[in-house]
């Protein structure tokens, strides 16, 4: 049987990982500035996380949501404390798309409406409704097309206000990433999030803060929407929540009431997933990782801003993006193949950094050295090629 070929792959077989480093089958060491797509929050194979998963595995890995699972409540209590939203309610599921799917469905159950506002360049996942609110027609199958979704320009208060003034009573929810990830690291303006909150309050719409990529402490605050000083009605989370163990959830404001069977899942909230997620929160708290993300992130942003070739350096904490000019188009590939540094990308020309929140200053310096070295080398190659061309040596 063949694998269904949907991923363009690097020819690298990663077999071992620790902290911010990963190793391939040949023993080559790589610095992971990508965190396996923002998933590694507390560092690969963190010993406390491994121990807690092992201990849980020896007790029980799974039983269905037909019985009490006390570790779910322990996780909810810890999440309430670390996220600063003690009075919210937790529903557990398995992936980011599923979290958004449940959030949108819950919003619609809550106010009985259908219209959802999403924004240009948004990415919310690949399941039915999650992909419908994603601004990428190439991944929306005909069956997922719906007239219930409206895309408005990101960070455009006038357009948002205008739409609410026109159709506010029909709007079920607004879904927004605090920092767009797949879209290329675009930070939602604080005033835009405040405007969203105000309009949702005025018209009875649900504010859904997609925190799947930008949440879980990555920006230095637990939810990146917190920078705007507003509370969303529903936060969706996944990626960093399990540090690689598949677990996701939605944190729901107290005014949204549950009803039996309204939401449900077989695997969501299983014992093993909760043990992994609880260990992650304990490590974030005990090792002060949100502060570390802010400190190392600010350092990286300031240092990358000093590199004149790289444009529009942006982001918060350890969610950083910058534009790469055409002359440096091989930068990402060479960082990986020559310098053994994994980074992320966003089409067409953005490099994304999404490392573990435990990234050390020495790791950040190692990355910066590789970045400087590779930019110098690519710039020299371009200059030599231009010289050859102007001297005529390149002509046949
Ligand atoms: C902001 C955002 N929301 C949702 C998702 C979907 O998450 P998953 O791939 O776990 O379904 C992603 C994945 O990249 C994401 O970045």
């Amino acid at each position: 049987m063949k694998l269904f070929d949907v991923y363009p792959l690097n020819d690298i077989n990663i077999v071992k990982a620790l902290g911010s480093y990963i190793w391939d089958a040949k023993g080559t060491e790589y610095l992971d500035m990508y965190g396996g797509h923002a998933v590694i929050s507390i560092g690969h194979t963190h010993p406390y996380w491994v121990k807690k998963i092992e201990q849980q595995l020896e007790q029980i890995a799974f039983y269905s949501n037909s019985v009490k699972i006390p570790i779910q409540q322990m996780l909810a209590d810890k999440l309430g404390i670390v996220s600063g939203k003690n009075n919210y309610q937790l529903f557990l599921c398995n992936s980011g798309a599923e979290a958004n799917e449940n959030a949108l469905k819950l919003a619609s159950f809550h106010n009985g409406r259908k219209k959802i506002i999403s924004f240009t360049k948004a990415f919310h996942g690949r399941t039915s409704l999650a992909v419908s609110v994603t601004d990428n027609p190439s991944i929306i199958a005909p069956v997922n097309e719906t007239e219930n979704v409206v895309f408005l320009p990101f960070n455009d208060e006038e357009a948002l206000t205008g739409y609410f003034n026109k159709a506010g009573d029909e709007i079920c929810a607004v879904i927004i990433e605090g920092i767009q990830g797949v879209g290329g690291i675009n930070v939602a303006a604080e005033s835009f999030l405040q405007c969203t909150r105000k309009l949702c309050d005025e018209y009875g719409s649900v504010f859904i803060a997609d925190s799947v990529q930008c949440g879980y402490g990555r920006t230095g605050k637990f939810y990146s929407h917190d920078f705007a000083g507003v509370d969303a009605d529903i936060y969706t989370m996944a990626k960093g929540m399990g540090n690689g163990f598949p677990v996701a959830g939605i944190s729901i404001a107290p005014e949204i009431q549950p009803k039996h069977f309204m939401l449900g899942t077989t695997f969501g909230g299983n014992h093993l997933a909760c043990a992994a997620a609880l260990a992650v929160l304990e490590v974030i708290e005990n090792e002060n990782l949100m502060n570390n993300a802010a400190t190392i992130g600010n350092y990286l942003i300031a240092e990358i801003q000093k590199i004149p070739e790289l444009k529009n350096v942006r982001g918060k904490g350890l969610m950083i993006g910058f534009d790469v000019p055409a002359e440096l188009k091989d930068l990402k590939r060479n960082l990986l193949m020559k310098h053994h540094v994994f980074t992320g990308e966003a089409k067409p020309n953005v490099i994304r950094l999404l490392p573990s929140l435990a990234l050390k200053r020495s790791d950040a310096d190692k990355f910066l050295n590789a970045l400087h070295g590779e930019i110098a080398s690519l710039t020299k190659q371009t200059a030599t090629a231009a010289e050859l061309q102007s001297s005529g040596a390149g002509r046949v």
Side-chain angles (χ1 to χ4, degrees), residues 37 95-98 100 123-125 177 182 210 212-213 238-239:
H37 204 59
S95 71
E98 208 188 319
N100 285 328
F123 185 91
H124 298 294
E177 297 157 83
V182 175
D210 183 337
V212 168
Q213 188 166 151
K239 296 194 188 288

Side-chain angles (χ1 to χ4, degrees), residues 12 16 56 70 87 107 118 135 144 162 172 185 279 284 308 321 374 376 396:
I12 298 173
K16 203 177 94 174
Q56 186 60 54
N87 56 345
S118 182
D135 183 23
N144 302 131
C172 167
I185 313 291
I284 288 180
E374 191 49 38
V396 197

